[in-house]
Amino acid sequence: MKFFIDTANLEQIKEAQDMGILDGVTTNPSLMAKEGITGTDNIMKHYVNICKLVDGDVSAEVISTDYEGMVREGEALADLHSQIVVKLPMIKDGVKACKYFSDKGIKTNMTLVFSAGQALLAAKAGATYVSPFIGRLDDISTDGLNLIAEIRMIYDNYGFDTEILAASVRHTMHVIDCAKLGADVMTGPLSSITGLLNHPLTDIGLEKFLADYKKGN
Ligand code: E4P
């Protein structure tokens, strides 16, 4: 399972990268705005800075909603760095743009996916990644994890190569459950990654080992 971090915060990206377990980064316009990164030039520069920090794929989202705009923006984003994955919204023109980029060998991430049907379209368009938003489904009392299971079954039935990127992950149990269901990737906040470290028995055990070592030395 690949671990992506879902943020535009450079310190948090660095912290996850330094642990040696990070496989990539996802961003979106809201995450950029949260870090105070505004204006096309600054946003483009920030993507390059993120790429320099990590080894893996970095999803950069287009803001156009028409096919020509998405192609123009996506090409500019892909030109920024070899690690850039063009992130496209799950709308008709987004699917069309996904096919365009897939045919050109440029990696894509279909975002804002909330149904199995949308995931099927993303795979048909040759998306590298499909991003079902599990947390936002949970927010409206719909089982986000069930969507991951449905997509896994459909993709396995037909051998689609598109990777299931469980997005809108909010906490550690989402990570564990997505791993059980066979999601290829998860993207979540730093806390959903570092939270996996925590266990009181680890802390108690380590404290005891260190205390016993001190007794004999
Ligand atoms: C995915 O790529 C999105 O950036 C993200 O996971 C959305 O998460 P949220 O629902 O917590 O905003």
Side-chain angles (χ1 to χ4, degrees), residues 28-175:
N28 63 42
S30 306
L31 292 172
M32 281 286 180
K34 192 175 165 195
E35 297 308 316
I37 315 292
T38 54
T40 308
D41 285 353
N42 289 333
I43 289 172
M44 300 290 244
K45 276 184 208 147
H46 202 71
Y47 283 136
V48 175
N49 289 335
I50 292 174
C51 288
K52 285 181 186 160
L53 273 184
V54 297
D55 299 322
D57 287 344
V58 175
S59 286
E61 188 160 343
V62 301
I63 47 149
S64 299
T65 53
D66 63 300
Y67 173 72
E68 287 75 18
M70 287 187 209
V71 165
R72 197 172 48 247
E73 254 190 83
E75 284 186 330
L77 289 168
D79 280 348
L80 282 177
H81 200 282
S82 59
Q83 287 164 240
I84 292 285
V85 174
V86 180
K87 198 173 179 190
L88 300 156
M90 177 39 79
I91 55 175
K92 196 195 277 182
D93 281 27
V95 172
K96 196 173 158 188
C98 180
K99 178 78 175 97
Y100 169 86
F101 286 116
S102 308
D103 287 347
K104 286 190 78 175
I106 292 172
K107 286 187 177 179
T108 51
N109 175 357
M110 288 303 295
T111 192
L112 291 167
V113 166
F114 294 94
S115 76
Q118 291 177 328
L120 190 50
L121 284 173
K124 290 288 293 173
T128 313
Y129 299 106
V130 64
S131 288
F133 277 35
I134 61 173
R136 292 192 194 188
L137 281 170
D138 288 355
D139 288 345
I140 57 158
S141 310
T142 303
D143 187 358
L145 291 168
N146 184 53
L147 178 58
I148 301 293
E150 281 187 314
I151 301 172
R152 182 71 283 156
M153 184 198 294
I154 291 169
Y155 282 11
D156 287 350
N157 282 347
Y158 296 97
F160 285 121
D161 290 332
T162 301
E163 292 186 49
I164 302 172
L165 196 176
S168 188
V169 159
R170 301 278 170 75
H171 49 71
T172 53
M173 278 315 293
H174 272 156
V175 180

